[in-house]
Amino acid sequence: SNNRAIFLESSSGNNVTSNIAESNQYGFYAASSSNNALISNTFKFNNVDGVYLDTSSNNVLSSNIASVNNVYGINSYLSSNNTFTNNTVSSNPSNSGIYFSSSSNNTLISNTANSNAFYGFSIEASSNNVLINNTANSNNRAISLHSGSNNNTVINNNFSIYSTEAMRITSSTGNLLKDQPIGAYTLTSAGFAIENTSSGKIVFLNNTITESGSSLSTDIVVQGNLVFVNSTLQPGLNTTANITLYNVNFTNPSNGHNITSRSGLNFNPI
């Protein structure tokens, strides 16, 4: 048992591969370290975090296991431009799988964050991150964007199984949900957009939307030549938006496009 099983400080160009670090305070700890590769390691049963990045950027973390740690599986603080792929960050019993704080411009692809106590992905005060094809199931909540987490892009992730809700957005704006099914949700002072890449996009211009429901994908539908917002059931969504429809054909229209109590509509036929 060590305070930090693997510790990098002001260090670059290292390859950390195929190690097992269990029952320490931290499995892996990087401080002010960049351009390192962390690949195929196992970090389990640590008293704090499996992996902790502190002011460390341009690192690659791939195919690691960071599970059953007491606080976070992966914890990123003031760390940007890192790439996380195919990591398993599950069954962390006291908090979240992957936690970002003041960490921006990171890319997360095909990671699995299941069965964590709070969130699969918790993004706090962190902007311009991209999450693609990740899985976060059987957590209390799959993902949270909060406290000034702006302009993040969430694409085609699996957030289908949860205890409380799939997504929470709090005091954060400009986030884009692209080809992203979302079940139960809570929005508090939120601004966001939803895009179906084959059909269209709706960008809400109000950055203080507050609403909750059992299915965001049912309350806001972008499909075919249709954008539907169920503002009768969810009055918090009754706000101004820009709407763009893709591949619209206006030849011999039947009934045209009906617009009721909405402004800022853009048609973008191709």
Side-chain angles (χ1 to χ4, degrees):
S1 177
N2 299 286
N3 184 26
R4 290 168 266 195
I6 301 172
F7 179 43
L8 302 181
E9 184 175 17
S10 302
S11 185
S12 300
N14 299 286
N15 292 317
V16 181
T17 305
S18 301
N19 298 280
I20 298 174
E22 298 182 346
S23 302
N24 306 279
Q25 293 297 307
Y26 297 88
F28 175 86
Y29 192 117
S32 303
S33 296
S34 300
N35 299 299
N36 299 291
L38 189 66
I39 300 173
S40 298
N41 302 281
T42 298
F43 307 108
K44 298 175 71 173
F45 309 116
N46 296 288
N47 290 331
V48 185
D49 302 329
V51 173
Y52 182 60
L53 303 180
D54 180 2
T55 322
S56 296
S57 300
N58 298 299
N59 298 288
V60 173
L61 292 82
S62 181
S63 302
N64 300 286
I65 298 172
S67 299
V68 205
N69 300 285
N70 198 40
V71 183
Y72 299 111
I74 295 176
N75 184 354
S76 174
Y77 173 66
L78 285 173
S79 296
S80 300
N81 298 299
N82 296 296
T83 300
F84 304 81
T85 61
N86 294 300
N87 299 288
T88 299
V89 189
S90 299
S91 301
N92 296 286
S94 299
N95 217 299
S96 301
I98 295 180
Y99 173 62
F100 281 7
S101 177
S102 302
S103 296
S104 298
N105 299 298
N106 297 287
T107 301
L108 299 92
I109 301 174
S110 299
N111 301 283
T112 299
N114 291 342
S115 302
N116 299 286
F118 290 167
Y119 302 101
F121 299 92
S122 179
I123 312 297
E124 179 177 2
S126 300
S127 299
N128 299 300
N129 297 291
V130 179
L131 294 86
I132 305 173
N133 293 333
N134 301 284
T135 298
N137 284 324
S138 301
N139 305 282
N140 187 17
R141 295 179 174 90
I143 185 170
S144 174
L145 304 170
H146 55 282
S147 305
S149 291
N150 305 321
N151 302 310
N152 297 287
T153 302
V154 182
I155 305 173
N156 194 37
N157 300 276
N158 180 356
F159 300 150
S160 59
I161 303 171
Y162 45 83
S163 297
T164 301
E165 58 197 4
M167 173 171 280
R168 171 167 288 198
I169 304 177
T170 305
S171 301
S172 299
T173 67
N175 293 294
L176 172 62
L177 311 180
K178 181 184 291 189
D179 298 328
Q180 181 59 63
I182 294 292
Y185 66 97
T186 297
L187 309 171
T188 306
S189 296
F192 65 103
I194 292 178
E195 182 177 13
N196 179 328
T197 52
S198 66
S199 300
K201 182 178 182 181
I202 180 168
V203 180
F204 289 95
L205 304 182
N206 180 357
N207 289 328
T208 59
I209 295 172
T210 297
E211 189 56 272
S212 62
S214 61
S215 174
L216 186 62
S217 295
T218 301
D219 292 338
I220 303 172
V221 177
V222 181
Q223 183 176 348
N225 290 333
L226 168 72
V227 175
F228 168 74
V229 178
N230 192 346
S231 57
T232 301
L233 181 64
Q234 308 292 10
L237 300 177
N238 187 12
T239 188
T240 305
N242 282 339
I243 297 172
T244 302
L245 298 178
Y246 306 154
N247 305 308
V248 176
N249 184 355
F250 287 102
T251 303
N252 297 320
S254 175
N255 296 325
H257 293 270
N258 295 321
I259 307 166
T260 305
S261 300
R262 291 291 179 273
S263 62
L265 178 64
N266 294 313
F267 285 110
N268 188 24
I270 298 174

